[in-house]
Amino acid sequence: MSARSLNVAATRIGTEALGPGVRSVLWVQGCPFRCPGCMSPDWIPERAARRAEARELAAELLSDPRVDGLTFSGGEPMLQAAGLAEVARLARQVREISLICFTGYRLEQLRSRPPSPGVPDLLAAVDVLIDGRYVAALDDGRGLRGSSNQRVHHLTRRLARCGYDFDGRPRTAEIALSGPEALLIGVPPTGLLAAFDTAVDTVRDTTSPGREQHHER
Ligand code: SF4
């Protein structure tokens, strides 16, 4: 896989569930962490998913003219940092977008011991970095971060004064149906994940073929 080629778990064009404004989201496949209670366990295995070039992804993510920001999540974005940095660079050639990125690494480690060669380039492009592993016992049901140990770093001032409370805002999530798949997008409010699982299991039991479910943050 070249530096500009990515292993993509999913994309979502035009959502209001993962940051301020209307955003497109790119989830990468593969994560070295195995946080108990991870919202997107399907994206943890280091397996081949959708292979796509950065240029193709940048065009796809901006295909909705309302989109004014991108969010990178996963999986672990920092393991595909070079490709994601290229997606951000190409997108900004077309439109002035903000960039939010989730990572299970701590910012200090990303700076001192980057886990892949493109990390400095991606950090240079990111406006808001949400760092640290998810800890279910510290999930307080608030904010865009999944648990209170995770930190919101404004690496630029671009989203610092937009009025969006990354740490304390009430959570929202979207459910999207796409063919046989049901996608839950966003950091879900308390109880929604279990209700979503129950609803999908009920539909699966009563329909054929069954609906696959994914939780995405
Ligand atoms: S919560 Fe995030 S860092 Fe933890 S296993 Fe899931 S994708 Fe990886």
Side-chain angles (χ1 to χ4, degrees), residues 76-92:
E76 176 47 62
M78 291 299 161
L79 296 187
Q80 300 189 50
L84 290 173
E86 182 67 2
V87 172
R89 189 184 72 80
L90 291 168
R92 283 182 170 148

Side-chain angles (χ1 to χ4, degrees), residues 69-216:
L70 303 182
T71 300
F72 294 158
S73 187
E76 176 47 62
M78 291 299 161
L79 296 187
Q80 300 189 50
L84 290 173
E86 182 67 2
V87 172
R89 189 184 72 80
L90 291 168
R92 283 182 170 148
Q93 286 182 349
V94 176
R95 198 177 303 165
E96 190 57 38
I97 48 95
S98 65
L99 179 56
I100 298 170
C101 185
F102 289 86
T103 177
Y105 293 97
R106 287 297 194 186
L107 177 59
E108 293 81 357
Q109 181 184 349
L110 292 173
R111 286 178 167 153
S112 63
R113 288 173 287 125
S116 76
V119 169
D121 288 341
L122 182 55
L123 286 180
V126 167
D127 296 302
V128 173
L129 184 80
I130 301 176
D131 78 349
R133 301 185 198 181
Y134 174 70
V135 178
L138 298 177
D139 186 343
D140 58 7
R142 295 188 293 122
L144 197 62
R145 79 288 186 278
S147 51
S148 61
N149 61 300
Q150 295 174 311
R151 301 174 301 177
V152 176
H153 301 275
H154 285 273
L155 301 184
T156 74
R157 306 312 297 165
R158 194 190 302 262
L159 293 177
R161 296 181 184 276
C162 71
Y164 189 92
D165 184 357
F166 285 83
D167 283 295
R169 71 187 304 276
R171 289 185 181 166
T172 58
E174 296 174 4
I175 294 174
L177 304 180
S178 174
E181 292 191 333
L183 308 176
L184 192 154
I185 301 157
V187 182
T190 305
L192 181 62
L193 207 53
F196 175 71
D197 288 344
T198 301
V200 171
D201 286 346
T202 302
V203 171
R204 180 185 292 138
D205 290 344
T206 56
T207 61
S208 180
R211 193 178 290 283
E212 295 296 320
Q213 70 205 74
H214 299 291
H215 315 137
E216 303 177 350

Side-chain angles (χ1 to χ4, degrees), residues 31 33-35 38-40 44 74-76 104 133-134 217:
C31 179
F33 308 112
R34 295 187 175 276
C35 311
C38 168
M39 282 173 269
S40 41
I44 292 176
E76 176 47 62
R133 301 185 198 181
Y134 174 70
R217 62 110 164 97

